[in-house]
Amino acid sequence: MKLLRYGPRGQEKPGLLDRDGRIRDLSGNIPDVTVDRIGMVRGLDPQRLPIVEGEPRLGVPVAGIGKFLAIGLNYADHAREAGLAPPPEPIFFTKAISCLNGPNDPVMLPRGATKMDWEVELGLVIGRRCRHVDEADALDHVAGFVLANDVSERHFQKALGGQWDKGKGCDTFGPVGPWLVTPDEVPDCQALDLWLDVNGKRMQAGSTATMIFPVAHCLSYVSRFVTLEPGDLLITGTPPGVGEGRKPDPVFLEAGDEMRLGIAGLGEQRQTVIPFALEVAAG
């Protein structure tokens, strides 16, 4: 299944994408898309669900995300472009829940930003409590997979004391979606192509096959240090082609730039970069 949430920010309704790419309304069956309700819509005939007309805004495809964690430097070629050796163990950090954003909502330049960057990533939503989970069993704890853009401000991340969280959790820095895709539709999460364009130019192209630490290993590893609860989100690193790594000169995002990104089978996103404002755009 491909589950989604549509409508104005804060007023999203649950939906399902049918085989023809049309949104079907689930609000008569469940109040919202949460991991504990996925089982309630299995077996429904999408053709019997109401069609949602037009092109509504899409929100983060699952409600109730409690933690937003991320793996860093998880592609060997991305580590090389950053001038770093591949890490001996997974690096992970947190992104603020307040940075969550719909897949096509504007992304805002933070106040004082000088090095805003992009990162297309595979994300997974936890379906069962994870605490010291064995790698062999880790994927059994996944409710679904998502496309994510780990938007980053490199100056904040690296020059202000070396705390990555400073450059990772700014408002709007966590576009997720368009859909939550259940594992039955992702036969091999280590064989997915990823890409990202800026202003129509291909910047990132890679495959989850080149991860240093596979998805199951990442999930198992994080569960040694942090208990993951149903609904938590873990994103798993980005392939090469980020702006900071461009040669001969880095390229960073400016107001008016457009990012488009996608993962095979998980859909696409499109974001326009907007100037800083004290109020986050409603989307």
Side-chain angles (χ1 to χ4, degrees):
M1 290 186 296
K2 293 182 174 69
L3 301 174
L4 55 90
R5 299 170 67 242
Y6 69 94
R9 186 186 296 271
Q11 302 175 44
E12 292 91 345
K13 295 181 179 181
L16 177 152
L17 195 76
D18 69 18
R19 67 181 62 184
D20 297 315
R22 296 173 299 187
I23 297 175
R24 300 281 181 159
D25 179 43
L26 283 173
S27 58
N29 302 89
I30 55 175
D32 208 342
V33 177
T34 53
V35 295
D36 60 323
R37 293 189 174 103
I38 292 175
M40 298 173 63
V41 297
R42 290 190 188 279
L44 291 179
D45 181 359
Q47 304 305 313
R48 296 180 177 274
L49 298 171
I51 293 176
V52 177
E53 301 293 347
E55 297 183 3
R57 169 191 174 269
L58 297 179
V60 176
V62 59
I65 293 174
K67 292 190 287 294
F68 189 173
L69 302 176
I71 303 292
L73 298 176
N74 196 26
Y75 289 70
D77 34 13
H78 172 50
R80 285 195 297 271
E81 75 176 355
L84 300 169
E89 296 191 27
I91 296 169
F92 70 90
F93 56 91
T94 62
K95 287 177 72 80
I97 293 298
S98 55
C99 84
L100 285 167
N101 213 22
N104 303 314
D105 290 345
V107 170
M108 185 173 62
L109 282 163
R111 176 181 280 169
T114 59
K115 297 181 178 180
M116 186 166 148
D117 209 343
W118 55 83
E119 295 188 12
V120 58
E121 304 204 11
L122 171 66
L124 52 98
V125 176
I126 305 302
R128 295 166 48 199
R129 194 169 191 259
C130 296
R131 183 170 180 267
H132 293 275
V133 173
D134 290 337
E135 184 172 345
D137 301 323
L139 295 183
D140 294 337
H141 293 71
V142 174
F145 296 92
V146 293
L147 166 64
N149 188 354
D150 178 18
V151 184
S152 308
E153 212 299 329
R154 304 300 187 190
H155 179 72
F156 294 0
Q157 178 186 354
K158 298 183 177 182
L160 301 182
Q163 297 177 31
W164 282 21
D165 294 0
K166 291 179 181 177
K168 293 288 190 173
C170 301
D171 291 338
T172 73
F173 271 26
V176 177
W179 320 307
L180 173 73
V181 182
T182 50
D184 56 293
E185 294 200 17
V186 185
D188 186 356
C189 63
Q190 298 301 154
L192 300 176
D193 292 332
L194 310 85
W195 59 271
L196 184 145
D197 296 346
V198 177
N199 298 330
K201 180 179 179 181
R202 182 61 44 94
M203 294 294 191
Q204 288 186 278
S207 169
T208 57
T210 66
M211 284 182 176
I212 300 169
F213 305 106
V215 172
H217 182 89
C218 292
L219 179 51
S220 174
Y221 185 86
V222 171
S223 78
R224 290 168 49 189
F225 305 96
V226 178
T227 297
L228 298 170
E229 301 289 354
D232 287 349
L233 172 62
L234 175 66
I235 59 178
T236 56
T238 197
V242 299
E244 183 183 45
R246 304 296 294 184
K247 302 293 187 295
D249 299 308
V251 177
F252 297 112
L253 294 165
E254 299 178 353
D257 287 343
E258 181 186 78
M259 293 177 282
R260 294 189 64 183
L261 57 148
I263 299 180
L266 302 187
E268 298 184 10
Q269 300 182 358
R270 177 184 295 188
Q271 298 110 26
T272 299
V273 179
I274 60 173
F276 172 78
L278 286 175
E279 296 295 328
V280 178

